[in-house]
């Protein structure tokens, strides 16, 4: 276990590039596996979560390797060409990887066991397994469908129409991936729009996909069993990862940074809209399109912030960013109200209760709700806390960001978990002017 301590920083300045987008990285490896020929991926996030998905795709038959230039090459097996893996697929800490790959194998004639670390093994999979059983797949494991879990795929799947009961891009994407090896048309109905990387990736690879109104909702229809041809992919940098240096700069006096090549998919930018509403000096330059995804550079300068009530319908576009938004809210004048966040209870940790406990330990005024929290900002945060991360990378990075502007250092109990999504986080932030140090190194 490695404890990391974050000390009060001077102004953060400079240009930086955060790692590749995690959501797009997972999907690029999966789609490359389902295409015939060699797909090249540049900018892939080389964090543990994505590398575990790469291992899973190799076990299912793909030839995946990193070349000397740092690009990744995937020789796929085609839709319907997945192999029976010799061993269980260890998905590490990645809920996204586990749920997407479950969808992928549910409509194959294979039996696949999924395992993961302690954090992943505590997370419910039922919201994915329920719709996948409608194709004809079956699942064997604990009653609450936690890992380890075995998927018995169906050789002759049936197309389905499924209305997603809660806003979840992972559930939607698992169904869409299952639909690829299912004859006929499968439709997913969304009440609330969620991130649409899967739909954009399908279009990039030539999948027949239609997105149409369905009353007040949206219907996404996929025609199954296409023959996909390899495509090159460029992964933009991750807007979720970019939120950490963005908020660090906003709360650290004198800061002025430029974050390059950030994905600006409209389904992912709620955090930046919210920060602008709080008075944050956040602007976008060099806006462009790459592989169907909007990309821009983000200029961020220190700004006094004001509390806001975040609209509940914005939650799907920033669900992963609420932990770091809590840090911005801690320094904002007035109250910041965040509600409609029930999904945070079933992330890598119960992010609502874990954030509340850490904030209170650091001297922040916060009230916990069943579906969120209310934070009353202060001009000065005492800090001086040791925060339990519960093996959650976003909790760790959020509290290290808090320590950059609090009176006393903030320490997280395990900094190693950051590698799952943001390898090099400490060095990158220290290069801007932060002061994050090892506190204790204990091999146990």
């Amino acid at each position: 276990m490695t404890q990391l301590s974050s000390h009060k920083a001077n102004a953060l300045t400079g240009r930086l590039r955060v790692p590749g987008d995690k959501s797009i990285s997972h999907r690029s490896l999966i789609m490359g596996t389902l295409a015939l020929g060699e797909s090249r991926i540049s900018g892939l996030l080389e964090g543990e979560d994505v590398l575990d998905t790469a291992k899973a795709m190799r076990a299912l038959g793909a030839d995946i390797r990193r070349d000397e230039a740092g690009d990744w090459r995937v020789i796929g097996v085609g839709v319907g060409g997945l192999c029976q893996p010799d061993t269980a697929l260890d998905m590490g800490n990645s809920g996204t990887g586990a749920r997407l790959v479950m969808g992928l194998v549910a409509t194959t004639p294979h039996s696949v066991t999924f395992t993961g670390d302690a954090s992943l093994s505590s997370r419910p999979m039922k919201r994915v397994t329920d719709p996948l059983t409608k194709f004809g797949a079956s699942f064997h494991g604990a009653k609450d469908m936690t890992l380890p879990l075995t998927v018995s795929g169906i050789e002759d799947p049936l197309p389905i129409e499924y209305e997603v009961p809660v806003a979840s891009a992972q559930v939607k994407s698992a169904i869409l991936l299952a639909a690829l090896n299912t004859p006929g048309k499968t439709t997913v109905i969304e009440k609330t729009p969620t991130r649409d990387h899967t739909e954009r990736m399908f279009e990039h690879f030539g999948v027949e996909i239609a997105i149409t109104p369905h009353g007040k909702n949206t219907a996404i229809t996929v025609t199954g069993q296409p023959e996909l041809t390899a495509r090159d992919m460029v992964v933009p940098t991750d807007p979720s990862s970019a939120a950490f240096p963005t908020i660090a700069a906003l709360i650290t006096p004198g800061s002025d940074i430029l974050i390059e090549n950030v994905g600006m998919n409209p389904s992912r930018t709620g955090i930046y809209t919210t920060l602008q509403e709080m008075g944050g000096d956040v602007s976008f330059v060099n806006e462009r399109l790459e592989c169907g995804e909007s990309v821009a550079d983000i200029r961020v300068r220190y700004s006094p912030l004001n509390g806001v009530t975040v609209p509940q319908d914005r939650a799907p576009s920033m669900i992963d960013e609420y932990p770091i938004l809590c840090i911005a809210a801690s320094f904002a004048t007035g109250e910041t109200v965040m509600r409609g966040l029930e999904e945070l209870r079933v992330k890598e940790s119960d992010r609502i209760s874990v954030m509340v406990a850490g904030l209170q330990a650091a001297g922040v005024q916060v009230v916990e709700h069943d579906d969120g929290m209310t934070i009353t900002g202060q001009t000065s945060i005492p800090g001086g806390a040791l925060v339990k991360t519960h093996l959650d990378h976003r909790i760790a990075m959020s509290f290290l960001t808090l320590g950059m502007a609090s009176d006393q250092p903030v320490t997280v109990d395990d900094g190693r978990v950051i590698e799952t999504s943001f390898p090099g986080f400490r060095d990158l932030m220290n290069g801007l002017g932060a002061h994050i140090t090892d506190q204790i190194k204990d091999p146990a």
Side-chain angles (χ1 to χ4, degrees), residues 47 51 63 77 83 144 184 211 229 251 261 296 299 302 324 374 379 396 407 414 427-428:
L51 296 180
D63 181 357
V77 296
C83 300
D144 57 357
I211 302 171
T229 303
I251 65 175
N261 202 49
R299 175 82 179 274
Y302 166 75
I324 188 60
T374 297
T379 55
D407 297 337
D414 191 354
D427 290 344
L428 186 148

Side-chain angles (χ1 to χ4, degrees), residues 41-42 67 72 78-79 99 125 155 202 232 266 297 302 309 325 330 359 371-373 403 406 414 419:
I41 309 168
S42 60
D67 66 21
W72 287 72
V79 173
R99 294 183 179 108
M125 297 291 161
E155 187 169 5
F202 277 19
D232 288 348
D297 302 334
Y302 166 75
T309 297
L325 179 63
S330 300
L359 290 169
D371 64 340
M373 65 196 85
S406 59
D414 191 354
E419 294 300 307

Side-chain angles (χ1 to χ4, degrees), residues 104-154:
L104 188 67
V105 302
T107 52
T108 69
H110 303 312
S111 180
V112 182
T113 298
F114 289 79
T115 63
D117 67 10
S119 171
L120 181 58
S121 298
S122 70
R123 285 179 247 167
M125 297 291 161
K126 195 169 178 11
R127 58 181 177 166
V128 171
T129 62
D130 280 353
L132 294 178
T133 59
K134 296 182 182 301
F135 287 96
S138 58
F139 296 83
H140 314 280
K143 183 188 300 184
D144 57 357
M145 291 288 120
T146 52
L147 303 188
L149 183 65
T150 298
V151 182
S152 295
I154 180 71

Side-chain angles (χ1 to χ4, degrees), residues 192-364:
T192 304
T194 59
R195 59 182 65 176
D196 62 353
H197 299 305
T198 299
E199 295 95 307
R200 289 172 184 257
M201 191 73 74
F202 277 19
E203 290 175 346
H204 183 60
F205 274 85
V207 175
E208 186 178 331
I209 180 170
I211 302 171
T212 57
H214 189 274
K216 295 182 179 180
N217 305 323
T218 301
I220 304 146
T221 300
V222 169
T223 301
Q225 298 185 325
E227 184 170 303
L228 304 183
T229 303
R231 295 282 190 274
D232 288 348
M233 292 166 277
V234 178
V235 179
T237 64
D238 196 320
S240 297
S241 295
F244 295 99
T246 293
I247 288 175
L250 287 175
I251 65 175
T252 305
S255 295
D256 187 346
I257 65 173
L258 184 74
I259 312 172
E260 299 175 335
N261 202 49
V262 182
M264 288 284 106
N265 184 301
S267 66
R268 298 285 301 281
T269 54
I271 182 64
Y272 300 103
T273 300
T274 302
L275 293 172
Q276 289 173 330
E277 290 173 353
M278 295 174 77
D281 188 346
V282 179
S283 58
F284 308 106
V285 297
N286 192 21
E287 298 180 62
R288 56 205 185 274
L289 280 176
E290 291 183 358
C291 293
E293 294 280 353
S294 300
V295 177
D297 302 334
I298 305 178
R299 175 82 179 274
V300 189
R301 287 174 278 204
Y302 166 75
S303 312
L305 302 175
N306 298 304
V308 296
T309 297
V310 185
Q312 292 190 31
D313 61 5
R314 191 176 292 164
S317 69
M318 55 181 291
I319 194 66
D320 287 330
E321 287 73 68
Y322 280 98
I324 188 60
L325 179 63
C326 290
I327 307 307
S330 300
F331 292 91
T333 300
E335 288 187 346
T336 297
V337 181
M338 295 167 272
R339 304 296 294 263
L341 312 181
E342 295 90 344
E343 187 179 347
L344 291 184
R345 298 283 188 190
V346 293
K347 288 287 191 177
E348 282 82 337
S349 65
D350 177 345
R351 284 181 174 163
I352 294 175
S353 63
V354 173
M355 283 303 302
V356 167
L359 290 169
Q360 290 175 338
V364 177

Side-chain angles (χ1 to χ4, degrees), residues 366-400:
V366 55
V367 176
E368 181 174 352
H369 310 298
D370 289 344
D371 64 340
M373 65 196 85
T374 297
I375 295 174
T376 302
Q378 304 160 224
T379 55
S380 176
I381 304 296
L386 172 61
V387 176
K388 295 181 178 180
T389 62
H390 295 267
L391 298 176
D392 192 322
H393 52 116
R394 298 195 193 281
I395 300 295
M397 289 185 284
S398 295
F399 282 103
L400 292 175

Side-chain angles (χ1 to χ4, degrees), residues 42-101:
S42 60
L44 188 84
L45 169 63
E46 296 181 4
E48 291 174 1
D49 282 6
V50 173
L51 296 180
D52 285 331
T53 294
K55 291 176 187 175
M57 293 303 99
R58 289 190 187 103
L60 292 168
D63 181 357
I64 301 176
R65 62 191 67 185
R66 186 181 189 274
D67 66 21
E68 293 181 356
D71 291 342
W72 287 72
R73 296 178 182 272
V74 182
I75 300 176
V77 296
V79 173
L82 298 178
C83 300
Q84 171 69 49
D86 295 330
T87 60
L89 302 183
D90 184 352
M91 305 308 299
N93 187 249
S94 179
T96 299
R99 294 183 179 108
L100 297 191
V101 180

Side-chain angles (χ1 to χ4, degrees), residues 157-199:
L158 299 172
I160 68 171
E161 179 176 297
Y162 187 78
E163 185 173 305
V164 181
V166 295
S168 171
Q170 292 179 3
V171 174
K172 172 181 67 175
S173 296
I175 298 167
L176 294 177
L177 287 168
L180 287 180
N181 198 38
T182 301
K185 295 182 183 294
T186 291
T187 299
V188 179
I189 299 169
E190 276 195 311
K191 299 176 183 177
T192 304
T194 59
R195 59 182 65 176
D196 62 353
H197 299 305
T198 299
E199 295 95 307

